[in-house]
Amino acid sequence: MKTLLLIDGSSYLYRAFHAMPDLRSPEGLPTGAIYGVVNMLRRLEKDVQFDYSACIFDAKGRTFRDDLYPEYKANRPSMPDDLRLQIAPVHQLVEALGWPLLAVEGVEADDVIGTLATVAEQQGFRVIVSTGDKDIAQLVTPNVTLVNTMTNETLDEAGVVEKFGVPPTQIIDYLTLIGDKVDNVPGVEKCGPKTAVKWLEAYGSLDGVIEHAAEVKGVVGDKLREALPRLPLSRELVTIKCDVDLKKELPQGLDDLEHRARDAATLADAFRTHGFRTWLKEAEQWLADSGVAPASANGEAAQAELFGGGGDDPVSPVPVKATVERDYRCVLTAAQLDELLTGLASAPVVSFDTETTSLDPFAARLVGMSFAWQEGLAYYLPLAHHYAGVPEQLNFDATLAVLKPWLEDANRPKLGQNLKYDRHVLANHGIELAGIVDDTLLQSYVIESHLTHNMDDLAERHLGETTISYEEICGKGAKQIGFAEVDIDTATRYSAEDADITLRLDHAMKPQLAGRLMDVYRDIELPASVVLYAMERTGVLIDRQRLAAQSHELGLKLVELEQQAYELAGQPFNLNSPKQLQEILFGKLGIDTKGVKKTPSGGYSTDEGVLEKLALDHPLPKLILQNRSLAKLKSTYTDKLPLQINPDTGRVHTTYSQAVAVTGRLASTDPNLQNIPVRTAEGRRVREAFIAPPGHQIVSADYSQIELRIMAHLSGDKGLLAAFQSGADIHRATAAEVFGVALDAVSADQRRAAKAINFGLIYGMSQYGLAAQLEIDNAQAKQFIDRYFMRYPGVAEYMQRTRDAAREQGYVETVFGRRLYLPEIRSSNGARRAGAERAAINAPMQGTAADLIKLAMIKVHAWLTEQGLKSRLIMQVHDELVLEVPDAELELIKRELPRLMAGAATLAVPLLAEVGAGDSWEAAH
DNA sequence: CTGCTAGCATA
DNA sequence: GTATGCTAGCAGA
């Protein structure tokens, strides 16, 4: 069977343009898209076996769709000049590489592809369409498959079903319902992929949906009925035309699509002009082989060869040992500063980094700054180094004043590694950094959240470069010196390298942020970092006196407990030492160790669960438990929090780590405000010290059962969806189903068991885990689980699907496309593998919840800003947002905050957020 | 002084 | 059973 390979040139042109760094030819013309498309073609040539081929582009001018619908593509921004300039060179290279090129006026590239695929299939060909455009999925048949060369994804019929939830034959109907924002094709408002799939499953086709439109309930139903008159037009717009007349272009039919010999001379000329050095060498070799003397190669070094190494798989790039010449310059004189400023003023985007006196963003003072806008060239501007014999530096205040306009200009694009930190540092000097367009920390996190993201590791992984580490120049531990004491030459080498490497990392990682990963990066992580900065900067007001009083009280109780414990033990010992306690309990007191859990290192555990059991027979363990919980409260919270109050602001400023939790959650440090006690009455008193200033209230809103709702959404289980739709108490509803009783006949124990099952599901439960949690035997736990899955079969299927997907692709995804890799999912070690499976089950739920609340934070922050309100977000605790609200805005916030949170995204289940307000965080619940 | 363990706070 | 961060104690520098 012969194979026809069709390439959607237009789709790749756009994608390459946006995915590639801003490459330039020696003459300064843009070449990124050219490089990307040629790279892709070369890879296809190498990887795919085919007999005939064509590369298809959109032609200039109007198409029949514009005539059908004047507003078609009206939302598209006009083509950037830098892209337009690359079209002709791409066409030239495509032909020189030997690919038949088609661009037919009056239709789009898709239509030509559809027509060729149809004709070829009729003539018994196998057809492979290489595209990045999802609309083309409608062309898939048993003989027509898609391949996305940028992500290495292939789609056959089963793949289309897996990806979209509908077979290729329903893709047109699916796209019609959803509509297309970019092309301005109206669909049904509020109808996204999930709803479209649901309807098509229920009614079989778009016509079926239209027929049954009257039956669809709720707001979406109304929106559907509103959309009805528009749908036939939308269907026409999204339908790829498969009968384009190609007689003029292909008089011989498919025989005109034979791959031709490459034109080495044209290629060599073009590669030289564009500055593609590696390919130029290759082309010159071809010329030499064919006996034609190569023209002399000159021109400056091009950068292109450094990215992707000329054909790496973007998912697992092999770093090419870079051979970038380094030119690192130190700025010490007015003339050098002028040179720097001139560069900054004209650079399209600048990599920026600060050097400081401290890692604590609120204590840090500037020591110097580095800048890079061209690979290999970077500037270090020392401002506050001080050591014996330090050369004279530019004046600190005057130089900052000169740089301030550039730093604060939102139209001067900047990128960096964890710029949230640099923003704080500059803010400490009265400068509001603006124009942040990229952050390599967040790029790396979105690409591979399970790996490390420090710059030294990133440079090694993505660039094959070994960088100077901070420890190498500052030492470590007690002997570590401040950056200000580092001599300026060394500092220049270190800091300029940081800016340079960051710039190169951005270039290396951008192409890996394809498709939905780019959306997570652009639409979630980058905007979320702005909100987090603001929250950290605002801080939280803490009632110091109240905590001091609590500390005192706790201290008295602890002394008392201590004395009682010594008496029971018959000797004094350190209650906080698990080792000493173990000796007392199992040695001196001779408590039976049978059935006592061991610690990983072999000793007998004295953790909460163990002590609780022992407390049934002995008085001491109970005392220890009380002591532990009070000691924890005192040492971690009531003693420590007051010490973390910033003397300048009188508030506590946490740092949110945006790139540590593999699932996409945030983490809070210094101090951790995400583990302030809440479960016990005594612990909750700490929250009484989280207060609002006079004239303000604390407002808190938390998502109700967010992870279970996400499970309902992801699994699509009818029973679970219905339970959430009904608004019933979900644990009670689960109990009623599992135990087969009426809702109002559910006992307290049954509800407790159901709650444990629900939580267990989120954590990838096993019968053993559930048995331990509920203190029942394994057989009984298994019975509960079996009954649950019997009642909610969709959930059981979803769990299995997730495990399978994790094993097959090595990662799982959130609703928004965030990826979590599970390196141990194929481990031969059963325990490790089981652990990875549990993580695989938990990650889409925990991760989607994290995505949702980030989206909510972005919305809330934007809304507060747009409305000019004085309320401020001050904390995020995974499913809860806390704000400080002036009394005048209280009612507005209490009304709108839960609405914004619930509207963060539309899932198959309603989202619900519950709000409260009070003088303290405790009172807000 | 540094790095590790056990234990425990949160969602 | 998932995901985190912090503290005290302790052993080995």
Side-chain angles (χ1 to χ4, degrees):
Chain A
M1 188 186 254
K2 288 200 170 184
T3 300
L4 170 64
L5 173 61
L6 297 173
I7 294 156
D8 186 352
S10 286
S11 137
Y12 281 116
L13 189 65
Y14 271 99
R15 269 152 203 267
F17 178 71
H18 289 109
M20 294 300 294
D22 183 24
L23 303 182
R24 296 279 159 173
S25 71
E27 279 131 57
L29 292 169
T31 58
I34 307 174
Y35 180 81
V37 171
V38 171
N39 193 24
M40 200 261 317
L41 290 177
R42 288 165 53 95
R43 246 163 72 191
L44 280 171
E45 226 168 352
K46 196 168 58 152
D47 297 346
V48 181
Q49 295 285 325
F50 57 91
D51 303 286
Y52 289 166
S53 68
C55 188
I56 298 110
F57 289 89
D58 288 329
K60 273 183 280 192
R62 300 167 60 78
T63 71
F64 72 96
R65 285 188 184 82
D66 298 304
D67 298 332
L68 274 172
Y69 183 52
E71 287 98 286
Y72 183 62
K73 296 202 176 177
N75 286 349
R76 272 224 178 152
S78 62
M79 184 183 282
D81 287 340
D82 275 357
L83 175 54
R84 195 190 312 279
L85 285 170
Q86 299 184 66
I87 294 179
V90 162
H91 287 188
Q92 184 200 25
L93 278 171
V94 165
E95 297 207 291
L97 284 163
W99 298 83
L101 185 149
L102 286 170
V104 181
E105 281 179 28
V107 297
E108 291 178 45
D110 289 3
D111 303 309
V112 178
I113 292 172
T115 303
L116 288 172
T118 309
V119 172
E121 193 183 15
Q122 282 161 2
Q123 299 184 14
F125 277 73
R126 190 167 74 102
V127 181
I128 300 172
V129 183
S130 173
T131 180
D133 181 354
K134 66 176 185 336
D135 295 7
I136 297 198
Q138 64 184 266
L139 298 178
V140 170
T141 71
N143 298 314
V144 180
T145 54
L146 306 190
V147 51
N148 182 334
T149 311
M150 295 187 86
T151 60
N152 265 349
E153 198 180 26
T154 63
L155 278 186
D156 57 9
E157 281 188 300
V160 171
V161 175
E162 197 180 327
K163 182 160 178 184
F164 296 95
V166 297
T169 49
Q170 287 188 347
I171 288 288
I172 292 174
D173 295 357
Y174 169 89
L175 293 172
T176 306
L177 287 169
I178 295 172
D180 188 328
K181 282 256 155 47
V182 182
D183 287 351
N184 201 27
V185 174
V188 176
E189 247 184 281
K190 303 278 168 197
C191 171
K194 298 282 173 181
T195 311
V197 170
K198 194 173 74 184
W199 287 346
L200 290 172
E201 267 172 12
Y203 306 119
S205 67
L206 181 61
D207 291 327
V209 175
I210 292 172
E211 212 170 292
H212 292 86
E215 298 163 20
V216 180
K217 286 197 261 312
V219 185
V220 257
D222 296 337
K223 296 291 182 193
L224 169 60
R225 288 179 285 278
E226 269 170 42
L228 283 179
R230 299 193 302 262
L231 292 178
L233 174 63
S234 294
R235 171 155 52 183
E236 225 176 322
L237 290 172
V238 303
T239 302
I240 293 175
K241 193 168 152 67
C242 290
D243 55 0
V244 177
D245 181 2
L246 296 173
K247 272 195 219 83
K248 205 168 85 201
E249 287 79 13
L250 305 175
Q252 321 276 329
L254 295 181
D255 287 336
D256 281 325
L257 297 180
E258 222 163 328
H259 210 70
R260 293 157 203 160
R262 64 179 169 235
D263 174 354
T266 305
L267 290 172
D269 274 349
F271 290 160
R272 190 175 304 111
T273 312
H274 301 316
F276 301 154
R277 273 196 320 184
T278 329
W279 292 341
L280 174 57
K281 275 195 206 122
E282 205 181 353
E284 282 169 345
Q285 192 57 48
W286 296 333
L287 281 173
D289 293 347
S290 62
V292 183
S296 73
N298 53 9
E300 282 172 45
Q303 302 164 6
E305 59 184 320
L306 302 173
F307 306 103
D312 295 320
D313 174 355
V315 178
S316 54
V318 181
V320 177
K321 181 67 185 175
T323 50
V324 179
E325 293 276 328
R326 295 181 182 210
D327 181 358
Y328 293 163
R329 303 178 187 178
C330 184
V331 178
L332 288 168
T333 67
Q336 290 163 339
L337 181 61
D338 274 345
E339 177 187 328
L340 171 63
L341 292 169
T342 309
L344 293 181
S346 61
V349 55
V350 175
S351 165
F352 171 72
D353 188 27
T354 60
E355 305 301 339
T356 67
T357 54
S358 166
L359 278 176
D360 173 354
F362 290 86
R365 307 295 297 175
L366 262 182
V367 174
M369 287 183 260
S370 53
F371 309 84
W373 53 88
Q374 183 183 320
E375 299 207 355
L377 174 63
Y379 291 80
Y380 180 58
L381 171 62
L383 289 172
H385 286 258
H386 58 86
Y387 50 86
V390 65
E392 190 178 343
Q393 299 159 71
L394 287 164
N395 178 275
F396 190 95
D397 292 324
T399 310
L400 270 194
V402 169
L403 276 167
K404 186 171 171 159
W406 180 82
L407 290 165
E408 295 191 333
D409 189 344
N411 293 316
R412 303 304 326 172
K414 298 149 191 101
L415 65 87
Q417 162 90 355
N418 194 17
L419 283 176
K420 176 156 71 69
Y421 171 81
D422 305 273
R423 245 187 122 171
H424 279 302
V425 174
L426 291 172
N428 295 343
H429 294 277
I431 294 174
E432 276 302 322
L433 184 66
I436 296 173
V437 296
D438 277 302
D439 194 312
T440 50
L441 175 73
L442 302 178
Q443 290 172 352
S444 171
Y445 179 60
V446 170
I447 294 169
E448 303 167 295
S449 70
H450 62 303
L451 300 180
T452 56
H453 315 293
N454 65 73
M455 206 188 313
D456 295 337
D457 289 351
L458 291 180
E460 197 71 59
R461 274 213 302 280
H462 294 278
L463 308 172
E465 290 265 14
T466 305
T467 48
I468 308 167
S469 75
Y470 186 82
E471 282 179 7
E472 272 172 65
I473 64 163
C474 293
K476 59 174 188 161
K479 290 185 290 267
Q480 190 170 61
I481 59 172
F483 201 84
E485 283 109 83
V486 175
D487 83 71
I488 287 180
D489 283 346
T490 311
T492 299
R493 259 179 282 126
Y494 171 83
S495 188
E497 176 178 82
D498 270 9
D500 177 27
I501 292 287
T502 303
L503 181 69
R504 285 152 61 182
L505 282 172
D506 173 71
H507 295 167
M509 289 192 287
K510 275 276 180 60
Q512 294 188 47
L513 285 167
R516 300 219 296 162
L517 292 182
M518 183 55 112
D519 298 340
V520 171
Y521 171 66
R522 285 259 170 250
D523 302 339
I524 300 182
E525 297 304 347
L526 271 181
S529 78
V530 175
V531 183
L532 294 176
Y533 166 78
M535 290 168 68
E536 294 172 1
R537 205 76 209 160
T538 306
V540 186
L541 188 61
I542 301 284
D543 184 342
R544 185 194 292 272
Q545 280 74 32
R546 194 170 197 115
L547 287 178
Q550 290 180 14
S551 273
H552 182 70
E553 231 175 275
L554 288 168
L556 293 180
K557 282 190 192 157
L558 282 167
V559 172
E560 207 175 304
L561 286 169
E562 211 171 277
Q563 290 307 322
Q564 292 176 16
Y566 295 166
E567 268 176 45
L568 287 172
Q571 67 169 91
F573 68 103
N574 186 341
L575 305 201
N576 295 320
S577 164
K579 186 162 168 275
Q580 291 183 31
L581 178 61
Q582 189 191 132
E583 281 159 21
I584 296 281
L585 290 175
F586 306 116
K588 182 143 191 219
L589 298 184
I591 293 177
D592 189 5
T593 56
K594 203 154 78 73
V596 172
K597 195 170 65 170
K598 298 280 193 95
T599 63
S601 55
Y604 291 108
S605 167
T606 61
D607 73 9
E608 196 175 312
V610 171
L611 294 186
E612 253 157 26
K613 281 203 193 92
L614 299 181
L616 298 173
D617 301 315
H618 305 275
L620 182 56
K622 176 94 185 166
L623 277 183
I624 301 292
L625 284 170
Q626 288 175 349
N627 181 278
R628 280 220 187 123
S629 92
L630 297 188
K632 173 90 176 174
L633 282 181
K634 185 168 188 294
S635 67
T636 312
Y637 304 107
T638 62
D639 282 355
K640 281 285 151 49
L641 275 174
L643 300 178
Q644 319 242 25
I645 296 173
N646 184 304
D648 298 329
T649 63
R651 299 164 72 101
V652 165
H653 304 266
T654 186
T655 298
Y656 288 101
S657 308
Q658 206 184 340
V660 296
V662 290
T663 51
R665 270 194 183 180
L666 300 175
S668 159
T669 61
D670 309 305
N672 181 354
L673 297 185
Q674 292 180 322
N675 71 345
I676 304 300
V678 68
R679 284 175 204 188
T680 66
E682 267 166 332
R684 265 201 300 279
R685 294 180 60 203
V686 176
R687 293 184 174 222
E688 294 169 357
F690 285 69
I691 54 172
H696 292 68
Q697 294 263 291
I698 298 291
V699 174
S700 154
D702 61 313
Y703 280 115
S704 162
Q705 306 295 351
I706 182 107
E707 293 184 355
L708 271 184
R709 285 174 199 260
I710 292 165
M711 184 170 88
H713 170 91
L714 287 168
S715 69
D717 182 273
K718 297 226 162 51
L720 202 53
L721 287 172
F724 276 120
Q725 297 290 357
S726 77
D729 168 353
I730 193 66
H731 301 312
R732 181 169 292 275
T734 306
E737 285 290 344
V738 172
F739 298 110
V741 297
L743 261 184
D744 48 15
V746 170
S747 73
D749 258 357
Q750 287 173 325
R751 185 178 182 282
R752 190 176 66 89
K755 189 172 173 180
I757 294 173
N758 281 333
F759 274 99
L761 289 162
I762 294 169
Y763 297 152
M765 166 172 70
S766 69
Q767 52 174 293
Y768 309 105
L770 184 66
Q773 178 69 35
L774 288 174
E775 296 179 302
I776 55 178
D777 60 51
N778 287 337
Q780 220 180 340
K782 179 170 186 313
Q783 210 185 359
F784 283 1
I785 296 171
D786 289 346
R787 291 224 298 256
Y788 181 96
F789 284 144
M790 200 103 82
R791 291 294 179 179
Y792 300 102
V795 176
E797 284 161 29
Y798 166 70
M799 298 286 167
Q800 196 49 47
R801 267 210 309 281
T802 305
R803 274 186 282 262
D804 292 344
R807 200 171 314 109
E808 276 158 33
Q809 48 193 15
Y811 63 86
V812 290
E813 282 179 317
T814 67
V815 167
F816 300 94
R818 179 191 303 281
R819 260 182 213 183
L820 172 72
Y821 286 91
L822 301 147
E824 300 203 323
I825 196 77
R826 297 191 195 99
S827 168
S828 54
N829 178 328
R832 284 170 179 270
R833 196 173 58 243
E837 284 181 2
R838 291 193 296 271
I841 293 205
N842 175 255
M845 295 184 263
Q846 192 182 120
T848 300
D851 293 342
L852 280 170
I853 197 161
K854 280 177 179 168
L855 289 169
M857 291 164 70
I858 294 163
K859 281 197 172 190
V860 170
H861 184 76
W863 176 70
L864 292 175
T865 308
E866 281 160 17
Q867 305 288 316
L869 296 169
K870 298 216 165 59
S871 298
R872 293 287 174 262
L873 274 164
I874 56 173
M875 286 187 279
Q876 188 255 41
V877 193
H878 307 310
D879 66 356
E880 174 185 12
L881 293 180
V882 184
L883 284 80
E884 188 178 287
V885 174
D887 293 338
E889 295 174 7
L890 186 60
E891 290 314 312
L892 176 64
I893 299 290
K894 280 170 73 174
R895 191 173 67 237
E896 290 303 319
L897 176 63
R899 296 230 292 239
L900 287 165
M901 288 172 71
T906 306
L907 303 186
V909 280
L911 295 179
L912 178 67
E914 293 169 338
V915 69
D919 294 326
S920 72
W921 194 8
E922 168 61 12
H925 267 108

